[in-house]
Amino acid sequence: MGHTRFLAVPKHSTEIASRKPDRDSETKDDITMVIASPSRRGSIGVVIMFAVTTFALKGTADEPPTRTDQSSNDQSSNDQSSNDQSSNDQSSNDQSSNDRSHSNADHALRITTEAAKNYEFYPTSNPARQFAFQPRSVLRWSNPVAGEIYGNVYLWTDNGRPQVIGSIYQWYSPMTHGSHEFHSLCAEAIEGQRQGRTVMRSQDPGLSWQQVPEQPEVAETKPRRTRQLSSIARRFQITKTDRESVTRQLRLLAQPIYRYGDQDSDIVDGAIYTFVQGTDPEVFLLIESIKLNGKDRWHYAFARMNSVKFVAEYRDRDGEYRDVWTKEIQPWGVVKSGREPYANFGPFNASN
C-alpha cells in the first residue's frame, strides 16, 4: 500500500514578507497543500492541489479603498482642517487680546500722567516750597489677579529726594473707573491739592526710619553700595492679607524703581524697592544711608500702597525671620479722608 505525503509550500512568499507582522500570521499566510499519491503500479502519480486559504485572505492589500475607508479618510481630513482652523482662530484671538492689552496699557499711561499733573504737594509749614513733579512713570504695572487694570507710579521730589509717591491706575475689566493713591515720604506734615482744591492734609511724618540690623558700613563706591542695597532688600519678606482674609506673600522686584543721593548731601545713597502682586505695587521699601554720629548708616522704611493688612519680616544672619513692620486694615473712611500718610481718592471716570 502506498503512503500519502503532505507538503506545505508558500505560494506568495514575496507578498507574505512585505506585510506588517501579525500575531496570527501563521494561519493567515497563503499556503498551497500538495498531496502526492503514487499509483499501485508506481507509474503515474496523481497530484491534487488545494488552495486552502488563498482566496479568502488574498487581495486585502490589493483592493481599492471601500466607501467606508474613503469616508474615514474624508472625516480625518475634515478633522485636521477643523483643528487647523481652531488653532488659527485661537492664535488670532490671542493676538487680538495682546493688541487690546497693549492699547489699554498705553491709554492708561496717557490718562494717568495727565491725572498726576493735576496734583501739587508741599510741606504744611512752607506752602511755597512745592515738591517737583517727575512726569516720567517709574513703574508701569498691571494686576491680572484682580482683573484688567493698568497703573503707573509717579514721584514728587525735593532736591532729588522723594517726598510723595503716587500710584494712579485705570480699570478696564471688570470695572471701568480710575483711582489715585498716594503716600507721604516726607519727614514732616504735608498738604496736597488737586486742581487747586485741598485733598490731603497729613499731620504725621510719612515714614518711620529704622537702622538696618547687622549691617556693614556703607561702602565708598556706588557699585559696592548697589550690591549692599540689593542684599539688604532681599532680607525682607512681606505678606498681604486682604479684606476677605486671603493672605498672599508679595514678590520683591529685583531692581529699585528709583535711585537717589549724592556725596554732597546728607543722603549719600538711597533706593526705592517694590513688593508687588503681579507687578502692582503693594508696599515700597526705602533704603537710605543716613548720617548717624558722623557716620553713614543704612536705614530702611516702608510705605503702604493699599489699605489692607501687611506684615514685614527681616531675615537675620542665622536665617531666622522676625517681624519688623505691621500695618492693619484701614477703614475706608480713613483712607478717603486724606488725613493719613496713605490716601486713596476716586473713583474717577477716564475723562476726569
Side-chain angles (χ1 to χ4, degrees), residues 44-343:
I44 301 175
V46 180
V47 179
I48 304 175
M49 302 178 68
F50 297 88
V52 180
T53 61
T54 302
F55 181 81
L57 299 177
K58 170 110 169 65
T60 56
D62 300 331
E63 294 177 0
T66 63
R67 186 180 302 274
T68 302
D69 294 334
Q70 187 62 44
S71 298
S72 177
N73 291 338
D74 292 343
Q75 183 62 43
S76 177
S77 177
N78 291 338
D79 290 345
Q80 183 61 44
S81 298
S82 177
N83 290 338
D84 292 342
Q85 185 62 43
S86 297
S87 178
N88 291 336
D89 291 344
Q90 183 63 44
S91 297
S92 178
N93 291 338
D94 291 344
Q95 184 62 44
S96 297
S97 177
N98 289 336
D99 291 343
R100 184 178 66 255
S101 296
H102 286 301
S103 176
N104 288 341
D106 291 339
H107 176 257
L109 178 62
R110 291 194 300 272
I111 64 174
T112 58
T113 301
E114 289 301 314
K117 292 177 181 178
N118 292 325
Y119 287 89
E120 298 175 345
F121 296 96
Y122 47 85
T124 302
S125 61
N126 186 4
R129 196 181 110 215
Q130 289 191 5
F131 302 138
F133 170 60
Q134 307 299 320
R136 183 177 180 179
S137 170
V138 294
L139 177 66
R140 298 180 65 176
W141 60 267
S142 64
N143 190 341
V145 174
E148 189 176 3
I149 175 176
Y150 300 97
N152 291 275
V153 175
Y154 302 93
L155 291 170
W156 287 256
T157 64
D158 184 23
N159 293 322
R161 187 179 187 183
Q163 300 295 318
V164 175
I165 192 165
S167 181
I168 301 179
Y169 53 91
Q170 176 66 39
W171 285 91
Y172 293 88
S173 176
M175 295 172 281
T176 56
H177 68 270
S179 291
H180 309 165
E181 55 185 346
F182 302 93
H183 201 294
S184 169
L185 309 179
C186 190
E188 56 184 302
I190 68 164
E191 292 186 14
Q193 292 188 348
R194 178 176 183 264
Q195 297 177 327
R197 183 174 65 88
T198 300
V199 293
M200 189 170 181
R201 187 178 282 114
S202 173
Q203 299 301 314
D204 297 325
L207 300 174
S208 177
W209 291 98
Q210 302 293 327
Q211 190 170 345
V212 174
E214 309 168 330
Q215 64 169 297
E217 292 187 4
V218 177
E220 294 184 359
T221 65
K222 188 171 183 177
R224 289 183 59 195
R225 292 197 300 271
T226 298
R227 291 192 291 271
Q228 288 181 333
L229 285 165
S230 178
S231 176
I232 292 170
R234 291 198 302 269
R235 287 184 173 273
F236 293 96
Q237 67 177 21
I238 300 178
T239 55
K240 164 192 172 183
T241 303
D242 62 24
R243 296 175 186 273
E244 287 72 41
S245 300
V246 176
T247 299
R248 293 184 176 91
Q249 183 164 321
L250 302 179
R251 178 173 63 92
L252 172 68
L253 295 182
Q255 299 298 323
I257 62 172
Y258 187 67
R259 189 83 177 266
Y260 56 98
D262 62 73
Q263 295 288 344
D264 297 328
S265 70
D266 291 338
I267 309 301
V268 174
D269 211 337
I272 301 178
Y273 287 86
T274 315
F275 285 85
V276 299
Q277 178 178 307
T279 50
D280 180 357
E282 300 286 350
V283 175
F284 295 109
L285 166 64
L286 286 81
I287 306 174
E288 286 186 359
S289 58
I290 300 175
K291 287 190 180 298
L292 188 65
N293 298 325
K295 292 185 178 181
D296 292 324
R297 290 286 184 265
W298 289 118
H299 290 69
Y300 71 91
F302 295 101
R304 72 194 302 165
M305 200 50 65
N306 202 325
S307 60
V308 298
K309 181 179 179 178
F310 295 105
V311 176
E313 298 175 294
Y314 179 83
R315 176 173 51 83
D316 61 25
R317 290 176 180 174
D318 296 327
E320 299 293 329
Y321 282 91
R322 60 184 179 86
D323 293 355
V324 293
W325 178 75
T326 300
K327 287 293 181 182
E328 299 294 339
I329 292 176
Q330 283 185 313
W332 282 116
V334 174
V335 175
K336 300 294 184 180
S337 71
R339 297 187 178 278
E340 295 290 328
Y342 169 73

